Amino acid sequence: MKLEANITRFAPRDGYICDVDKHRKATEEDYDFRFISPGYYLCATEEGNAYTISEYKGKIGCACADMTFNCKGKEVCKHLIAFMNLKDLPDKDISEDQTQLLKAAGWAGKKLSPPDRPEQRKKTKLPSVHDPDRKPTKQASTRYEGMTPAEIIAEMPPDELERNARRGSALARIEVERRQAARAGSA
């Protein structure tokens, strides 16, 4: 079974638009609708494809390619037309295989629910610029103010000194070698 599980487009539940060909196909083809969790259903086709359907807060959506790429505005796919023509909502649970496919597609939880899309995630607000934790550290220009280049190199912490030596600073390379020689002499 091939599963399409990411619903990206929605249309209004009441007042959706369907064309004649899609309505004809929706009534001619057989679909097996299953219950996933409240507001989510699975539509399995005779060809071995399955599509997740969402029916929540007055909106409906389907994960099929037609709904995702072709339908615009209030248009819906044939799967949603067939779903909306059901007398009762599906209450037959999904199979274990279908559950595993949904979990592999990122659905999670005791009551399976789709993964959050980036635009649905809560955006964390950065603290104010005046927050003491966000105060900038002293810049090199003020940290080493009034010192000669040799004094600056001698005062540098080892990681900064190594970084400057790798970037090609001759004074930094000389100081790294001096510090290594001092360590070797004391050992």
Side-chain angles (χ1 to χ4, degrees):
M1 173 180 292
K2 181 182 174 196
L3 172 71
E4 296 291 334
N6 295 325
I7 303 166
T8 57
R9 278 209 64 261
F10 295 89
R13 187 182 190 289
D14 298 323
Y16 63 87
I17 299 171
C18 66
D19 64 37
V20 177
D21 289 333
K22 287 182 186 178
H23 190 273
R24 182 183 48 75
K25 288 179 184 178
T27 55
E28 290 174 354
E29 295 176 7
D30 288 326
Y31 301 111
D32 180 21
F33 291 100
R34 304 278 182 115
F35 175 79
I36 299 173
S37 61
Y40 297 103
Y41 303 90
L42 189 72
C43 172
T45 66
E46 294 173 332
E47 297 86 34
N49 297 323
Y51 308 102
T52 55
I53 290 177
S54 171
E55 190 252 340
Y56 184 69
K57 289 188 176 181
K59 295 191 179 255
I60 53 173
C62 180
C64 73
D66 183 38
M67 185 69 180
T68 303
F69 301 112
N70 300 330
C71 296
K72 306 287 182 224
K74 296 181 177 182
E75 289 181 72
V76 294
C77 64
K78 61 184 179 180
H79 309 110
L80 290 177
I81 295 168
F83 179 79
M84 296 304 289
N85 287 327
L86 293 174
K87 291 181 182 177
D88 296 314
L89 289 175
D91 58 357
K92 187 177 178 183
D93 289 333
I94 56 175
S95 69
E96 187 60 36
D97 291 342
Q98 292 167 336
T99 302
Q100 293 304 318
L101 283 172
L102 285 167
K103 285 182 179 179
W107 288 55
K110 187 173 181 181
K111 291 181 179 181
L112 288 176
S113 60
D116 289 339
R117 295 189 310 271
E119 64 269 13
Q120 290 177 324
R121 293 188 191 121
K122 290 183 180 178
K123 294 179 179 154
T124 56
K125 203 172 179 184
L126 290 174
S128 168
V129 227
H130 304 294
D131 186 0
D133 293 337
R134 292 198 63 205
K135 292 284 183 202
T137 59
K138 280 189 173 182
Q139 297 296 315
S141 60
T142 58
R143 187 174 10 158
Y144 300 121
E145 194 171 311
M147 298 172 80
T148 65
E151 292 171 332
I152 292 172
I153 294 293
E155 291 289 321
M156 272 188 194
D159 58 331
E160 190 176 346
L161 185 65
E162 292 283 337
R163 186 172 52 246
N164 284 322
R166 281 193 307 271
R167 290 182 180 166
S169 169
L171 285 174
R173 277 186 273 156
I174 292 169
E175 180 64 19
V176 166
E177 291 171 3
R178 187 193 66 75
R179 289 183 186 181
Q180 287 173 349
R183 271 188 255 131
S186 65

